[in-house]
Amino acid sequence: MNKNHLNSTSVFLRQAETDDIEALEQLLNRCYRQTEGWTNEADLVGGIRITQAELASIIANPKHYLFVYPKTITGERDGEETGELLGCIAVDIKVNADTNKSDLNSTDSKNKAYIGMFAVHPELQGQGVGNIILQAAETFAGRHLSSSDQQNNQQPSRLTMSILSHRPELLAYYQRRGYQLNGNKMPFPDDGNNGEPKRQDLELLELEKIVNA
């Protein structure tokens, strides 16, 4: 894995396809559930992070954009892809969302995008790759939300995401990038569909960043 030429031109995203599902499953479960890298949740949540069926549903959803950073033979965007993925991020567009829900998808703004499934290969963490991927996703979401047929002139657009409690280093990472806790939180779902919480007080905390204000 070539780390010497990582920059905003060599790190690139394309929209995920069904052929990426197996590689996505491996990347997300490795980054979230194994003890590699600094972003994993292995000490807080056990079990798998996501299944191939869930990924297929997300890719098929026209309002849910899942982007991947594919590994290429040359390490550059014009190189032949190897089939391995080095990163991914999802943007779920929620324009005119239902604001009466009492969950983490409920905010004062009807014009928002939820960012999730953000992962960077453990061997590339700390190299600035995540910053480039997150910025690209934010730019995409901001442009999508501010398009002429979707812009809500009464309220600003918002980017939201959720993180696990008891992750001060991850919270600090997002705060440095303009995200703030908005007070919305919920107990980690103990339904077997999101992994197995390893502590009873585990919560999901919502962060938000206002754009187009």
Side-chain angles (χ1 to χ4, degrees):
M1 192 171 299
N2 189 351
K3 306 178 185 179
N4 297 325
H5 299 95
L6 293 173
N7 53 55
S8 59
T9 59
S10 61
V11 178
F12 66 99
L13 297 176
R14 63 165 173 79
Q15 198 158 349
E17 303 171 350
T18 54
D19 288 345
D20 297 313
I21 288 177
E22 184 175 353
L24 273 165
E25 179 192 34
Q26 294 175 356
L27 176 69
L28 286 163
N29 286 318
R30 179 177 183 178
C31 290
Y32 280 84
R33 296 295 185 257
Q34 297 185 22
T35 57
E36 301 176 84
W38 72 274
T39 64
N40 74 81
E41 303 170 347
D43 291 339
L44 298 174
V45 183
I48 62 172
R49 170 63 175 81
I50 201 164
T51 66
Q52 291 192 19
E54 290 170 329
L55 286 165
S57 177
I58 290 167
I59 291 173
N61 186 336
K63 293 185 179 181
H64 202 139
Y65 299 87
L66 179 54
F67 299 101
V68 297
Y69 168 31
K71 182 179 180 180
T72 64
I73 293 175
T74 62
E76 300 295 333
R77 67 172 62 225
D78 58 353
E80 180 182 352
E81 293 186 17
T82 67
E84 184 179 0
L85 298 179
L86 303 179
C88 64
I89 196 165
V91 179
D92 188 4
I93 302 297
K94 296 182 177 296
V95 174
N96 296 323
D98 181 359
T99 59
N100 294 319
K101 295 180 180 179
S102 57
D103 59 22
L104 288 186
N105 290 328
S106 163
T107 69
D108 293 334
S109 175
K110 294 183 179 182
N111 202 35
K112 63 182 179 179
Y114 180 84
I115 294 178
M117 291 196 297
F118 182 20
V120 175
H121 193 290
E123 293 183 17
L124 294 182
Q125 292 181 17
Q127 306 292 320
V129 175
N131 296 341
I132 297 171
I133 291 176
L134 180 58
Q135 179 62 59
E138 291 176 339
T139 299
F140 171 84
R143 289 175 177 172
H144 198 106
L145 292 173
S146 64
S147 61
S148 58
D149 61 333
Q150 293 178 333
Q151 179 63 36
N152 183 337
N153 294 321
Q154 302 301 316
Q155 297 176 331
S157 300
R158 299 171 186 267
L159 305 180
T160 66
M161 63 173 62
S162 60
I163 65 170
L164 289 178
S165 56
H166 311 290
R167 293 296 309 279
E169 72 288 354
L170 193 58
L171 174 59
Y173 172 85
Y174 287 119
Q175 287 177 327
R176 290 194 297 270
R177 283 149 187 82
Y179 291 85
Q180 297 296 329
L181 292 167
N182 64 9
N184 290 342
K185 61 183 179 179
M186 63 177 288
F188 186 87
D190 193 8
D191 55 10
N193 297 322
N194 298 275
E196 304 162 359
K198 295 184 177 181
R199 52 186 300 165
Q200 294 183 344
D201 61 345
L202 194 62
E203 295 179 312
L204 289 171
L205 311 177
E206 188 176 70
L207 306 177
E208 70 177 25
K209 180 178 182 178
I210 297 176
V211 294
N212 303 321

